[in-house]
Amino acid sequence: MYSIIPAGLILISARELTLEAAQSAGSARIVNSRPSNRDLPFAQTKKLLDSRNDREILEGLRKVISMMYRSKPCLPFFSAVVKNVASPNIEIKKLVYIYLLHYAESEPDLALLSINTIQKSLSDQSPQVRAMALRVMSGIKVPVISQIVSLGIKKGCADMSPIVRKAAALAIPKCYRLDPNTLPQLLDYISVLLGDKQYYVVGPAVIAFLEVCPDRIDLIHKHYRGLVRKLVDMDEWGQLATLSLLTVYARKCFPVRTKKVKKNKSKGFYEDEGSEHEEDNSGEEVQVLDLDLELFLKACKPLLSSRNSAVIVSTARCSLHLGTSEYIDAAIGPLVALLRSPQDIQHVAMNNIVAVCLVRPESFVRYVGHFLVRATDPPNVSRLKFEILTLIFPHCEPHIREMIWSELEHFTRAADAALVQESVRAIGRCAQNESTASTRCLRLLLNQLSSQDGNLVAESLTVIRHLIQQDPQAHVQTVIRLAKNLDTTTNPEARASIIWLVSEFSGLPEEENIAPDVLRILVKGFADESEAAKLQIVLLAAKVYLHYLIRTTPAQTEEAPGIPSAQVVECASLHISAAAEENGWQDPHPPPSTDQPGVESDQDSPHPIPLLWTYVLHLTRYDVSYDLRDRTRLYRALLSNPQSTQLASLLLLAPKPVPHTPSPSENRKGLLIGSSSLVIGVEAAGADGMMGYESLPEWVKEGEEPDAKLRDEGLAKEVYGEKKDVPAARELDKAVEKKGLGKIGVGGAKNKTFDDWLDEEEDSEEGSTEEETESGSEEESSEEEESESEGDEEVDRLVKQ
């Protein structure tokens, strides 16, 4: 029997079934839309690609693209993927185009089958599809289709959508790489796109110009002012390319012009006081900017507020290499603001800041607080901050100098040895750049000699040595103090520096000369010294002995200076021979004999200096250092003839030039800021920079620049700041003056008096009465003539009748 089910129950069950179906369909859609990392078998993936359902095709393409980006072989799916290029679904087209760009070079024949379909997409209604088709067509690296790509670019340049025109601009370099013979056609396309009204298109057009034909400056003339106006609205990539292009353009088209400006001296309280000295005859040369160049520099100023650090650095480069000091000062603040960026950008920004500071250090004085080293700064940033502090030190006020001194002195006590060395070097450069600070610098460094850190002592002595060489006569007592520190100094480089300084002062009078005593003390521990110290000890001995010969030779014309007696030489020879036998050495160079020709031994009172010299010769003969032995033989040959010391004096006592320690980044001064070569340095990048580095061209000579009329003349009044709305009266006055009729209107009434106005009114009244009488008589005469003419006509009519 059939049971009757209520209608309401049927509706409720149907509603529940509908909800369940909707939920299951939604969950299935979510699951299918999520890309899974699990790869499907080849047959199943190919089945999805061959399906007629767009959803299944899309799923199969996602699987293939996922495998492609995981470096798995996807080339077997090429034919199955390419046949979906004609699908109307834009998502499918995108994935097919991505696959084509990746594998078109591997399968050029199969890729050519899709060209016709891609060409048809160039006429699609959607601008995104047209742009995508042009992008894919130019990305297929098959040289055969270069002409087809060129035609596609031509069609894209005339497209109504800026998206398609931008794609055409980006496709030009790809077409040029496919076939360089298409260059004449591409130049026309570039010229058209450079004049586009949309900044969205001009930026990629400039990028294409720089890659295809960067030397064709003639294409830029008519678009120059348009590029300058659109510069602010471009994206970051377009701004970088345009800044680079216009910087080169300015160097090649705008010569450097200067004019002399006379300095006006200040007058006294009364004007007559300074009337005799109002102007100075010696004028100062000031750079005069071309109007178009000034237009470009003014357009660059808003870019200093860009969120992109590369744009800020490029704008600063334009100001530095093209502008005057005002534009450079305006760019310094945004450069310093980059120090708040992450550490990698900080390092790049600091290198560029140092490059600008080398040119204009006085502009960084007000930002000195930003260059104080923080505990979180990496070593490379700290080193560059020390360098900037030393560069701006001579231009600072006394209180700022005191702050810099305290900063550098604080870091001489740091735990990092490299940071300590950099701080000491910075102190030396500060004293070198400012002579008034050398005394304090010397006092500060002398206090560091008692430190237990050998690196700090060695670096301090190097700086002290440079300071002493600037004024040797004023630092005799300093050298004596340094010599006393030889007992406590253990660092080899530090000991070598002190010994060298003592040798430089070995020519002082005997009552002030400490060099022989220092030599006597040092030769006692000669065997325990380092090689660097031994070299300086030998040099000290040679200089002391040479000064002795110079003092004694004029008094002893026949006798040579005292040479060690036979007993002393014999004792020294026995001592050295015993050491040689103990270590198994052989004597390749026998000791000098006391029976040399022209030498007489003074057994009664031998002078200690020749004894020390001979003893040093014996000590160095068996040293393990080849350099030390060779150096000793050279000195012995120079001083072998006591009667002839001229050559030895030239070599050993020649005046030393005053040392000048340049800034560490001085060798990067000629490199462009914003370039990788500046950050890496000349040591790594080479003198000519890294591969691809191009320096700016020299300024064009005056008279050889292109004609300014080649640039956009129609916009001259607008861009140079002239008023567009000119009063009609002014234009009328100009026209009258041009024709030589004199001034009329308001401009001609400025110099009239009240009597002149009255005379003009009387003349105008008389003229009006005369004109009325003349007009009345003219009317009467005209009436009489009309009546006479009418009478004659009547007579003629009657005669004819």
Side-chain angles (χ1 to χ4, degrees):
M1 300 296 293
Y2 299 100
S3 61
I4 300 174
I5 302 174
L9 185 59
I10 294 174
L11 291 175
I12 292 173
S13 61
R15 183 170 177 271
E16 291 176 352
L17 290 173
T18 304
L19 291 174
E20 290 177 1
Q23 290 175 0
S24 63
S27 62
R29 187 181 297 110
I30 293 173
V31 171
N32 291 334
S33 63
R34 291 177 181 173
S36 61
N37 293 329
R38 185 174 60 87
D39 296 335
L40 297 177
F42 175 79
Q44 189 175 353
T45 305
K46 195 170 186 307
K47 184 179 179 181
L48 290 174
L49 295 173
D50 294 337
S51 176
R52 295 184 178 181
N53 189 354
D54 288 352
R55 184 179 299 173
E56 293 181 355
I57 296 174
L58 196 58
E59 181 67 21
L61 286 172
R62 287 172 179 167
K63 294 290 182 183
V64 173
I65 298 299
S66 176
M67 293 169 59
M68 183 180 71
Y69 282 115
R70 284 183 283 133
S71 302
K72 292 190 176 182
C74 300
L75 198 57
F77 302 107
F78 194 89
S79 58
V81 172
V82 170
K83 70 180 182 181
N84 293 308
V85 72
S87 175
N89 192 329
I90 190 171
E91 296 294 331
I92 294 177
K93 276 190 175 182
K94 286 181 180 179
L95 295 178
V96 173
Y97 287 162
I98 292 173
Y99 184 87
L100 271 175
L101 290 175
H102 197 273
Y103 286 108
E105 196 172 0
S106 303
E107 293 287 342
D109 296 333
L110 293 176
L112 291 176
L113 298 177
S114 61
I115 293 297
N116 292 332
T117 307
I118 297 174
Q119 275 187 299
K120 292 178 182 178
S121 299
L122 292 176
S123 303
D124 195 273
Q125 294 181 355
S126 174
Q128 287 82 6
V129 175
R130 298 198 300 270
M132 196 187 311
L134 186 56
R135 192 178 301 120
V136 172
M137 185 187 297
S138 61
I140 298 176
K141 300 176 182 178
V142 180
V144 181
I145 65 170
S146 60
Q147 293 298 329
I148 300 176
V149 175
S150 177
L151 293 175
I153 295 173
K154 182 179 180 180
K155 189 174 183 180
C157 291
D159 198 282
M160 296 294 294
S161 173
I163 300 176
V164 183
R165 298 200 298 274
K166 177 182 178 180
L170 295 175
I172 290 176
K174 301 177 184 178
C175 182
Y176 179 72
R177 286 193 292 266
L178 278 180
D179 186 8
N181 295 325
T182 58
L183 180 60
Q185 307 168 20
L186 299 180
L187 291 178
D188 296 336
Y189 305 154
I190 290 175
S191 180
V192 171
L193 293 173
L194 286 174
D196 199 282
K197 295 182 179 180
Q198 292 287 335
Y199 63 87
Y200 188 74
V201 181
V202 175
V206 173
I207 296 174
F209 175 86
L210 291 176
E211 189 166 348
V212 175
C213 52
D215 297 330
R216 291 293 304 271
I217 299 296
D218 56 310
L219 298 177
I220 307 297
H221 293 316
K222 58 182 179 181
H223 305 300
Y224 173 78
R225 293 173 186 159
L227 292 175
V228 171
R229 290 198 315 274
K230 300 182 184 75
L231 179 61
V232 181
D233 299 322
M234 296 181 187
D235 60 343
E236 286 84 354
W237 293 105
Q239 287 173 349
L240 291 174
T242 306
L243 287 172
S244 177
L245 171 62
L246 295 183
T247 303
V248 176
Y249 179 87
R251 283 295 190 99
K252 291 184 177 181
C253 298
F254 303 127
V256 178
R257 295 186 176 93
T258 58
K259 68 176 182 180
K260 287 189 176 182
V261 178
K262 294 183 178 180
K263 296 181 179 180
N264 293 327
K265 293 189 176 181
S266 60
K267 297 182 178 180
F269 182 78
Y270 298 101
E271 293 184 357
D272 296 338
E273 291 182 11
S275 59
E276 298 180 358
H277 306 284
E278 287 183 358
E279 292 185 354
D280 190 1
N281 294 329
S282 60
E284 180 184 1
E285 287 193 357
V286 180
Q287 182 180 357
V288 181
L289 296 178
D290 190 276
L291 293 177
D292 282 324
L293 177 57
E294 190 173 4
L295 173 69
F296 171 52
L297 293 174
K298 288 181 178 179
C300 291
K301 279 189 175 181
L303 300 183
L304 294 172
S305 303
S306 176
R307 61 183 178 182
N308 192 307
S309 57
V311 175
I312 295 175
V313 173
S314 298
T315 307
R317 176 178 60 192
C318 296
S319 302
L320 179 64
H321 296 292
L322 300 179
T324 57
S325 58
E326 299 177 359
Y327 292 97
I328 299 175
D329 294 342
I332 289 175
L335 273 179
V336 175
L338 294 178
L339 297 179
R340 296 192 291 266
S341 305
Q343 286 188 357
D344 53 345
I345 298 180
Q346 280 186 27
H347 178 56
V348 177
M350 283 299 302
N351 280 282
N352 290 282
I353 289 173
V354 171
V356 180
C357 191
L358 288 170
V359 178
R360 194 167 180 79
E362 62 275 7
S363 301
F364 287 87
V365 174
R366 55 179 175 172
Y367 303 104
V368 65
H370 295 272
F371 304 116
L372 300 179
V373 180
R374 301 178 181 178
T376 56
D377 288 338
N380 49 6
V381 175
S382 302
R383 178 180 56 82
L384 293 171
K385 284 187 175 181
F386 283 152
E387 184 175 357
I388 292 179
L389 291 176
T390 58
L391 289 173
I392 66 178
F393 181 82
H395 308 278
C396 296
E397 298 294 330
H399 67 281
I400 299 180
R401 292 184 185 179
E402 185 68 27
M403 182 179 66
I404 295 176
W405 276 119
S406 302
E407 177 79 2
L408 297 177
E409 184 178 1
H410 169 74
F411 282 97
T412 58
R413 299 185 294 271
D416 188 1
L419 197 60
V420 169
Q421 292 181 358
E422 289 296 333
S423 62
V424 172
R425 291 171 186 167
I427 290 173
R429 291 198 299 272
C430 288
Q432 174 183 279
N433 297 333
E434 185 63 31
S435 58
T436 57
S438 59
T439 304
R440 178 172 180 177
C441 173
L442 192 61
R443 185 171 61 252
L444 174 63
L445 294 176
L446 288 174
N447 294 333
Q448 304 295 335
L449 298 181
S450 59
S451 174
Q452 300 298 324
D453 187 359
N455 295 324
L456 173 60
V457 175
E459 200 65 44
S460 300
L461 281 170
T462 303
V463 177
I464 290 171
R465 177 167 57 85
H466 291 171
L467 294 177
I468 291 176
Q469 285 184 263
Q470 293 179 1
D471 190 7
Q473 302 301 326
H475 295 93
V476 176
Q477 297 300 321
T478 305
V479 176
I480 296 174
R481 179 178 174 181
L482 291 175
K484 294 178 181 179
N485 289 327
L486 282 173
D487 297 335
T488 58
T489 305
T490 57
N491 187 276
E493 296 296 330
R495 292 182 66 84
S497 297
I498 295 176
I499 297 169
W500 185 87
L501 282 173
V502 173
S503 67
E504 285 294 301
F505 287 83
S506 59
L508 295 175
E510 293 185 359
E511 59 275 6
E512 299 179 3
N513 197 348
I514 62 170
D517 290 333
V518 173
L519 177 62
R520 177 181 57 82
I521 296 171
L522 289 174
V523 294
K524 293 179 181 179
F526 184 84
D528 299 328
E529 296 284 353
S530 63
E531 182 178 355
K534 287 180 180 179
L535 289 171
Q536 297 303 325
I537 291 173
V538 174
L539 178 62
L540 173 62
K543 288 184 178 180
V544 169
Y545 183 55
L546 177 59
H547 282 295
Y548 169 77
L549 294 178
I550 293 173
R551 288 195 301 267
T552 57
T553 299
Q556 300 175 2
T557 56
E558 297 181 359
E559 289 186 0
I563 298 297
S565 62
Q567 296 177 355
V568 176
V569 173
E570 185 177 358
C571 292
S573 301
L574 291 174
H575 177 72
I576 296 173
S577 300
E581 291 178 0
E582 182 178 355
N583 293 279
W585 297 340
Q586 293 183 358
D587 187 1
H589 304 284
S593 174
T594 57
D595 299 331
Q596 294 180 3
V599 178
E600 296 181 1
S601 62
D602 189 359
Q603 298 181 3
D604 297 332
S605 58
H607 200 279
I609 292 179
L611 296 177
L612 288 173
W613 170 242
T614 305
Y615 186 56
V616 170
L617 294 179
H618 282 285
L619 289 175
T620 56
R621 181 170 295 112
Y622 294 102
D623 197 87
V624 295
S625 173
Y626 290 96
D627 190 15
L628 182 61
R629 297 201 300 267
D630 293 342
R631 192 78 60 89
T632 305
R633 282 195 293 269
L634 171 63
Y635 296 154
R636 184 176 60 187
L638 287 173
L639 302 172
S640 60
N641 186 6
Q643 303 299 329
S644 177
T645 58
Q646 290 84 1
L647 182 59
S649 300
L650 289 174
L651 292 177
L652 298 178
L653 305 180
K656 309 295 188 299
V658 177
H660 177 78
T661 305
S663 185
S665 300
E666 190 73 27
N667 56 356
R668 306 184 189 186
K669 196 171 182 178
L671 298 176
L672 281 177
I673 67 171
S675 61
S676 301
S677 300
L678 178 66
V679 179
I680 295 175
V682 178
E683 298 81 5
D688 298 330
M690 297 177 61
M691 183 177 63
Y693 171 81
E694 293 183 2
S695 59
L696 286 178
E698 297 293 334
W699 288 95
V700 64
K701 296 181 180 179
E702 191 168 2
E704 298 179 2
E705 72 275 11
D707 190 359
K709 295 180 181 179
L710 296 175
R711 291 184 283 276
D712 200 357
E713 293 183 356
L715 301 174
K717 293 183 179 180
E718 179 180 355
V719 296
Y720 292 146
E722 295 185 6
K723 294 182 179 179
K724 292 188 284 186
D725 298 331
V726 182
R730 188 181 302 173
E731 293 292 336
L732 185 60
D733 289 342
K734 290 181 180 179
V736 171
E737 290 176 2
K738 187 175 182 181
K739 293 183 178 181
L741 300 178
K743 291 185 177 180
I744 62 173
V746 180
K750 291 182 179 179
N751 299 324
K752 292 183 178 180
T753 62
F754 183 71
D755 296 334
D756 296 336
W757 281 105
L758 293 177
D759 295 340
E760 286 185 0
E761 289 180 357
E762 293 177 357
D763 294 340
S764 61
E765 290 178 357
E766 294 176 357
S768 61
T769 54
E770 291 177 357
E771 289 176 356
E772 289 178 357
T773 55
E774 289 177 359
S775 61
S777 60
E778 288 177 357
E779 289 177 357
E780 293 177 356
S781 60
S782 61
E783 290 178 356
E784 292 178 354
E785 290 176 357
E786 289 179 357
S787 61
E788 290 178 358
S789 61
E790 290 178 355
D792 294 339
E793 290 177 357
E794 184 69 21
V795 172
D796 293 338
R797 185 176 60 80
L798 294 173
V799 170
K800 288 179 180 179
Q801 291 179 353

